[in-house]
Amino acid sequence: MSSTLGVPRPDQASYMLRAAASDVGRLYKRQLVDLLDVREGHTVLDAGCGPGTDLPTLAERAGATGTVIGVDRDPAMLAQARERTRGLRRVEIREGDVLDPPVGPGTVDRAKIDRVLMHVDDPATALAQLHRVTRPGARVALAEPDWDTLIVDAEDLETSRAFTRYTTTEAVRHATVGRGLARLAEQAGFAVETVLATTPVFRDVEEADHTLGLGRNMEAAIAAGYVDRERGRRWFTGLAQGTFFASFTLVTVICSR
Ligand SMILES: C[S@@+](CC[C@H](N)C(=O)[O-])C[C@H]1O[C@@H](n2cnc3c(N)ncnc32)[C@H](O)[C@@H]1O
């Protein structure tokens, strides 16, 4: 394994593009975009669009008369999104917060928010804002992981559990938002139509390390007192020896307004 304990956080945009390009990334994103059912002429919002991973697909589906708006608060992400959609005339990239998106009320036919709610201050406010900007009859797609479901196979089961506990308690703000997604969508005023759970399976330790930050988060877990240093090191080194398995659950919710 080329990565070691304490590797710096990888560049966020490349992480997201790589995650999206993985087999599981492709599968759930295709499913999410298909279920979103974007049609010619629609105005589509990608809230927390990151490096613009999904913007070209959404633009293709919205066609020559549709409009796609990508909103993100991170200027570095937006720069990548602009680069990615250069030449697509009906894509607008806007800097803003999903808690107060720069989008007029009742103007959007389709909206998606993918792996963003787990990071925001208040997921309920973000969903209320999606409700505000969408038209009656609009369709909305949500996707979030639930990090309580993160399992990493190791002989030292206790350390694997401590790793997951660190991830859910310290590393991700709303680590269990995935399981509550349908409930939160209903509370925001949407009618839930479909709830799906996808379980990405990692058999390759380097891929898992890159996507799940195994070494980086184990180092942080050690520093935060969740795991003994020597034991954490042994756990991480042991992952690269022999058969590897890790997985977690990602929840997708499709709803209408
Ligand atoms: C895991 S990435 C997902 C990006 C994209 N949705 C995708 O599927 O590739 C999370 C993104 O949410 C953005 N983000 C987090 N909190 C935000 C907020 N309050 N307002 C706007 N963007 C936010 C981050 O800047 C980052 O680009």
Side-chain angles (χ1 to χ4, degrees):
M1 188 158 33
S2 60
S3 174
T4 55
L5 278 174
V7 278
R9 192 169 182 77
D11 158 54
Q12 281 290 291
S14 73
Y15 156 75
M16 277 177 228
L17 290 172
R18 186 167 160 182
S22 69
D23 286 350
V24 168
R26 268 193 293 270
L27 184 72
Y28 95 87
K29 273 188 175 294
R30 193 183 323 122
Q31 195 174 44
L32 182 139
V33 171
D34 283 350
L35 289 168
L36 192 55
D37 189 28
V38 176
R39 307 216 179 145
E40 171 82 33
H42 274 163
T43 296
V44 187
L45 170 65
D46 189 351
C49 64
T53 321
D54 299 324
L55 297 177
T57 308
L58 297 173
E60 191 188 322
R61 300 205 181 183
T65 57
T67 301
V68 175
I69 304 164
V71 172
D72 204 285
R73 68 177 175 189
D74 182 341
M77 289 291 174
L78 293 172
Q80 294 225 20
R82 279 194 193 93
E83 188 59 36
R84 224 173 148 69
T85 56
R86 190 186 296 278
L88 298 177
R89 288 205 351 268
R90 297 191 66 96
V91 175
E92 298 173 18
I93 308 291
R94 300 182 189 171
E95 185 169 343
D97 200 306
V98 300
L99 300 178
D100 185 17
V103 180
T107 55
V108 167
D109 302 291
R110 298 288 187 263
K112 65 171 271 283
I113 187 159
D114 179 2
R115 291 170 303 129
V116 177
L117 295 177
M118 64 176 163
H119 300 299
V120 304
D121 288 343
D122 182 15
T125 301
L127 291 172
Q129 285 294 325
L130 286 186
H131 196 268
R132 176 185 72 82
V133 301
T134 43
R135 295 185 214 282
R139 182 170 283 206
V140 175
L142 322 166
E144 296 292 329
D146 191 308
W147 291 112
D148 255 2
T149 63
L150 173 61
I151 53 174
V152 181
D153 180 44
E155 283 184 13
D156 185 352
L157 175 61
E158 208 180 299
T159 297
S160 284
R161 283 180 170 151
F163 178 80
T164 297
R165 206 158 47 246
Y166 168 78
T167 305
T168 55
T169 313
E170 310 280 351
V172 183
R173 186 172 290 166
H174 300 289
T176 58
V177 70
R179 79 187 62 183
L181 215 46
R183 171 174 45 82
L184 287 168
E186 296 265 4
Q187 286 169 355
F190 294 108
V192 171
E193 290 172 358
T194 307
V195 182
L196 299 167
T198 311
T199 307
V201 167
F202 297 87
R203 301 293 315 280
D204 180 88
V205 66
E206 292 210 15
E207 191 65 38
D209 186 34
H210 192 275
T211 303
L212 304 171
L214 298 174
R216 175 168 43 83
N217 283 332
M218 176 49 83
E219 178 67 10
I222 290 168
Y226 280 71
V227 181
D228 168 77
R229 179 168 298 279
E230 282 316 305
R231 204 164 159 177
R233 284 226 166 104
R234 264 202 309 280
W235 178 87
F236 183 69
T237 312
L239 296 181
Q241 293 157 3
T243 308
F244 179 80
F245 171 83
S247 75
F248 69 94
T249 299
L250 183 84
V251 180
T252 299
V253 170
I254 308 296
C255 44
S256 58
R257 186 194 189 288

